[in-house]
Amino acid sequence: MTATYLFYGLAFFTLGLAALLESRRSSGLLLGRQLPWLAAFGFVHSIVEWSELLLLTTTQEPLRTVLSAGHFVLLPLSAMLLIRFGVGLISEAGPLPGWLLLSPSVLLVPMMLIGAYALVVTITEPGLEIAGDIWSRYLLFFPGALLATAGFLRQARELDSSYSPRVRSMMTGAGIAFFLYAFFAGLIVPEASYGLAPWLNYEAVQQATGAPVQVWRMLSALGVTVFVVRALDVFDFERKRYLEAATRRQEQAESALRRERERAREAQLEVETEARRVAERWVNTLVEIGQLIAHMENADVVLLHIMERAQQLLDTDTAALGLLDESGERLEIRYQAAGGSARAVEGHHVLDNPALVRMLRTGRSYRFPDDLEMDQISWHCPTVAREIKTAAVAPLQFDGQVVGGIWAARFQPRSFTSTQLFGLQNLADQAVIALQHASMAAQLQSVATLEERSRIAREMHDGLAQILGYLGIQMQTIEAYMKRGQEQQVLDEIRKTRENVRLAQDDVRDNILSLRTTLSGDAGLIPALQEYVAEFGVQSGADTSLVNYFNSPPRLSPLAEVQLVRIVQEALTNVRKHARAAHVEVQLSPQDGGLSILVRDDGVGFEPGEANGRFGLQTMEERAGSVGGRLAVQSEPQGGTEVSLWLPLLRE
């Protein structure tokens, strides 16, 4: 029997220890919050059973008295702890069934009567300890074990399908084990004359089973311990599931973070791509403008192109370029862009804005009104008759001197960025270069005109002035012959004089034609050459033609065009004076990235060594070399002459 009580108490101590260890871990299960009560029950009831063991093995009366008193107190206490565990387990498992909610009120009166009867019997019976044991088991142990049974069964039913079937079966087994324990520990009592004790008692069980009731209690306690401890695996499963869920959440968080990073990278890539596209548009625009300037386009064409690009690239309502008037106090608007197209502003449109002029005179770019105080400046544009809310402004400077400004404006309060302001400054620099090139081109044209006039003056001095001097001398000679009556000599001198006058007339007409052709730049290079070659044929009497192999007008610098015309004129003049040719051809064709010009005649030709002396080849070579070209002359006596000129074209 001592071994029975030993294992009996050990089973409940093990149950209490296992429940205590699991209760120290965090859990979201309802069972986890009730484990402290189960642990307390296990420890207290193990003491109860071990006190029974000591009562069997000790003979010392004081110790037996203490053990009996402890058994008397601890037995109902352990039962109440079991009741608390069962009630908590049932109540937290979910809403209670309706019948269970009514049971306290229905059973209240019978329970009160039974309790009163048990109290009277316990007081009046001579065996107080036995009566206390019996009624503790009837009124406390049996209900507590049944509540634990119901609690475990309900817990097993409430577990969702994600839990292991083995865990649910262990929960069910624990409930069944507690039910058996409720029978053997709550209904089997010592023999007495009240309750169920006359029929269900220790002697009846031993006679029926051949084993004392303590053995059955021990076995049911072992079953409870085994099933409950195995059922506690639910916490391991819960922790595993929690870890898996945590892992999934972490993976989801990491995945979300990766997606967020991907979105951030994509957004950054889009921003960088857009910035690159904007930069490319700016670079392409600057290249376009640079090519227009390099091709010596008209300044109006370049500046209008700059205005269009300023409005498009800066996404503005309008863009304009203004130059300071003679007083330097007011801006005259010269070019305006709006609606995607630009125009030269006709008439006199003055932007009367002293504050704007003062800001331009500082020589720096700025944003209106971000870089200014709002009360410093108000802006009303006369060409669009609208008030400007925001603008980017850049000055135009020649050699450190501000001559005007360029601005891009919006009618809505949407600010410009510093990058956009920098881009506008680049456009302003290109506008300044275009204006400088226009000024230089005008100066070159003026210099070329002066040179041409000087050349004609020299030729008139060398030709017309000399012939006039010659005529004066001839008149004196003729007068002397007439005085001496030498008529034949007079007629000879008159014939020679008439021939020289005719040659002088040809030179004068040639000079007039050269002057008119050189100065008529508005018609273009090819039409000017066609006109000159045709009139040369009329004057010289030769069959002349111009053959052009270019599909579009060749792109030459203005100075190169002037030199080309002059070289062709000089070559044809030499033909008229010396070649006595019947046919003359001028041919233009592309060659080696440049323009090739051939002036070919079928005249008398000359020896190559005579070229410099007879035709002024050095002057023609100097003209070609001044614009990066080269000149060659080929001729044979009676085999005609070919003047070959090559000039570089402007790059596209």
Side-chain angles (χ1 to χ4, degrees), residues 559-560 562-564 566-568 570 595 597 617-632 643-648:
L559 185 57
V562 171
Q563 300 294 17
L564 184 151
R566 284 302 304 131
I567 292 172
V568 171
E570 291 181 17
L595 179 144
I597 307 99
L617 179 60
Q618 183 177 357
T619 301
M620 299 169 67
E621 288 177 342
E622 288 175 356
R623 288 183 181 275
S626 67
V627 290
R630 54 182 181 268
L631 183 81
V643 178
S644 174
L645 172 67
W646 182 89
L647 295 177

Side-chain angles (χ1 to χ4, degrees), residues 152-174:
F152 272 105
L153 293 178
R154 196 163 192 215
Q155 285 284 321
R157 188 173 63 252
E158 293 297 329
L159 291 178
D160 57 53
S161 59
S162 64
Y163 285 88
S164 170
R166 186 178 65 82
V167 173
R168 290 199 295 272
S169 64
M170 290 299 107
M171 288 278 191
T172 304

Side-chain angles (χ1 to χ4, degrees), residues 12 15 31 35 38 41 82 85 89 144-156 159 165-182 219-234:
F12 279 110
L15 175 64
L31 177 60
L35 286 181
L38 182 62
F41 162 73
L82 184 59
F85 169 73
L89 205 58
L146 288 181
L147 288 172
T149 299
F152 272 105
L153 293 178
R154 196 163 192 215
Q155 285 284 321
L159 291 178
R166 186 178 65 82
V167 173
R168 290 199 295 272
S169 64
M170 290 299 107
M171 288 278 191
T172 304
I176 295 172
F178 262 111
F179 178 77
L180 295 175
Y181 187 72
L219 294 175
S220 60
L222 288 174
V224 167
T225 301
V226 170
F227 281 106
V228 169
V229 170
R230 296 297 298 275
L232 293 180
D233 289 344
V234 69

Side-chain angles (χ1 to χ4, degrees), residues 440-499:
M440 292 174 59
Q443 292 176 3
L444 289 174
Q445 185 66 36
S446 177
V447 169
T449 301
L450 291 174
E451 289 181 351
E452 187 66 14
R453 288 175 177 174
S454 298
R455 180 190 67 80
I456 294 174
R458 288 194 302 271
E459 291 186 355
M460 291 182 67
H461 176 270
D462 295 340
L464 186 59
Q466 289 181 6
I467 196 63
L468 290 176
Y470 168 77
L471 287 176
I473 294 173
Q474 286 296 96
M475 291 299 103
Q476 293 177 2
T477 302
I478 292 172
E479 182 181 4
Y481 282 137
M482 289 184 67
K483 286 180 180 180
R484 291 196 297 266
Q486 298 176 341
E487 295 181 1
Q488 186 60 41
Q489 284 79 2
V490 170
L491 292 174
D492 292 340
E493 292 299 326
I494 290 174
R495 283 196 295 273
K496 289 193 294 185
T497 301
R498 187 167 58 244
E499 178 64 21

